[in-house]
Amino acid sequence: MLGPLRHANAASGLPLYEWELVSEFGGLIRSSDGIDIMTNVSIKEVEQCETLILCSGCHDPQTVSSPAVLGFIRQQSYFFGADIGCQDMGAYLAAAAGILDGHRATVHWENHESTQELFPNVEFVQELLVIDRKVFSCPGGLSGLDMMLYLIRIQHDQQLATLVADALIYTHKRGNTEPQRRSLQIRLDSRNKHLVEAVQLMELNIEEPLYISELTTHLGISGRELERLFKHNLQQTPKSFYRQIRLEKARNMLQQTTESVTAISVACGFVSLSHFTRCYQKQFSKSPSQER
């Protein structure tokens, strides 16, 4: 996030940007990947920000969204009129502070559904960069670079943003509305239309799984042909691949929501809690309660 600003200063020969790392109490904080980061100041020491960028890769962002942090975000947005940037689950913090009501924003695709449920007054979309008035957001990862290049471009000019992109070996600008995930063809490493459509149907029917016979009827192929496609391309049967999709969905819900294990098992199409627990244990070598 800071690299593009440093390169903007170097490319222009001017101190265009100054920054501080801010946390609730100042000092060392532990990032979601276990690295200790030294922050410059606490929120009590900050008077006014021209731009405030909220960074959070936490699977459980409510643990860091204290009343003091949310009050600080509201103050910078409403009282001082700061531009607010949101990286990854930073949009969760902005939404919890109330500054995203009536806005469009984006979070990482894994967190999209659960975050939308928590904040129905915010329109969350699965895009790479969303700009809505004085708030801009990205879903994390490489899209953070897209967001910072956007900031440099609107605050200065396209030429400087291009110089920074070149310095960072960023040769292909992606459109803001491009999808966050690769296409199914790329993810499956196959262009077979029957295979792609079968997986699409599986992903769209999680809570009430389709029978394999329903899939074959919709695709217009035999059960034997569907079995052959999955074993050849994915080294799994259609049934086991479908179960894997539902279990991965369950894992996301266990990590990101407070719904009960029973409710999650139902939402992911399992007929009983005991069956869900057995399947989950076999897939991830831990029980659903241990995952949580």
Side-chain angles (χ1 to χ4, degrees):
M1 300 294 289
L2 296 179
L5 304 184
R6 178 174 64 84
H7 282 288
N9 287 349
S12 66
L14 298 169
L16 300 178
Y17 291 100
E18 295 180 354
W19 54 85
E20 287 186 316
L21 299 182
V22 183
S23 63
E24 182 171 3
F25 304 109
L28 281 175
I29 59 171
R30 177 64 56 92
S31 68
S32 58
D33 53 12
I35 297 175
D36 289 331
I37 299 173
M38 179 61 75
T39 58
N40 303 111
V41 292
S42 71
I43 56 177
K44 291 183 178 180
E45 299 172 87
V46 177
E47 292 186 3
Q48 180 177 352
C49 302
E50 291 184 18
T51 303
L52 176 64
I53 298 180
L54 309 173
C55 299
S56 175
C58 183
H59 280 299
D60 196 16
Q62 58 264 35
T63 61
V64 296
S65 55
S66 69
V69 168
L70 300 183
F72 174 73
I73 295 169
R74 281 191 292 270
Q75 179 194 51
Q76 295 300 323
S77 176
Y78 293 145
F79 188 76
F80 293 120
D83 294 323
I84 305 294
C86 306
Q87 183 263 352
D88 204 338
M89 288 301 282
Y92 176 102
L93 300 176
I99 69 169
L100 286 186
D101 285 358
H103 285 69
R104 295 175 78 251
T106 185
V107 292
H108 193 281
W109 62 267
E110 288 184 330
N111 305 87
H112 176 265
E113 185 176 336
S114 59
T115 308
Q116 183 66 82
E117 289 177 359
L118 287 171
F119 305 107
N121 294 328
V122 184
E123 183 186 353
F124 284 103
V125 295
Q126 294 188 48
E127 297 177 4
L128 294 180
L129 177 62
V130 174
I131 303 148
D132 191 345
R133 288 157 279 183
K134 292 178 73 66
V135 180
F136 48 98
S137 54
C138 72
L142 186 59
S143 65
L145 178 54
D146 294 299
M147 186 171 78
M148 300 311 288
L149 290 172
Y150 157 76
L151 192 65
I152 293 167
R153 187 179 77 251
I154 64 165
Q155 291 180 343
H156 299 286
D157 54 44
Q158 180 61 55
Q159 182 179 5
L160 180 59
T162 300
L163 289 172
V164 172
D166 287 344
L168 294 169
I169 322 297
Y170 185 67
T171 58
H172 175 66
K173 182 184 182 302
R174 301 180 296 174
N176 293 356
T177 60
E178 286 188 31
Q180 294 181 13
R181 304 184 72 186
R182 289 184 167 191
S183 68
L184 261 180
Q185 288 94 331
I186 294 176
R187 281 191 277 144
L188 298 173
D189 194 24
S190 173
R191 293 186 177 275
N192 184 286
K193 66 176 184 178
H194 290 141
L195 179 68
V196 170
E197 189 172 356
V199 175
Q200 285 176 332
L201 286 168
M202 290 176 178
E203 291 183 343
L204 290 172
N205 293 273
I206 299 292
E207 185 169 355
E208 297 182 9
L210 299 173
Y211 291 107
I212 299 302
S213 60
E214 292 178 297
L215 284 173
T216 57
T217 299
H218 185 91
L219 297 171
I221 61 176
S222 68
R224 181 174 295 180
E225 174 66 9
L226 185 66
E227 190 95 2
R228 186 193 68 79
L229 277 175
F230 272 77
K231 286 187 175 179
H232 176 73
N233 290 278
L234 303 174
Q235 293 73 55
Q236 294 185 68
T237 65
K239 185 176 180 179
S240 65
F241 187 82
Y242 202 172
R243 183 170 58 247
Q244 178 180 313
I245 290 175
R246 290 155 52 212
L247 287 169
E248 288 173 351
K249 170 70 172 178
R251 181 169 61 173
N252 285 339
M253 293 182 71
L254 285 165
Q255 293 174 345
Q256 300 164 20
T257 75
T258 58
E259 291 191 47
S260 69
V261 174
T262 300
I264 290 173
S265 70
V266 171
C268 296
F270 290 89
V271 295
S272 71
L273 180 58
S274 59
H275 177 56
F276 169 61
T277 301
R278 286 195 301 273
C279 292
Y280 199 95
Q281 181 80 43
K282 183 177 180 180
Q283 180 73 23
F284 300 116
S285 300
K286 63 176 73 172
S287 69
S289 59
Q290 288 173 323
E291 183 74 70
R292 171 154 284 169

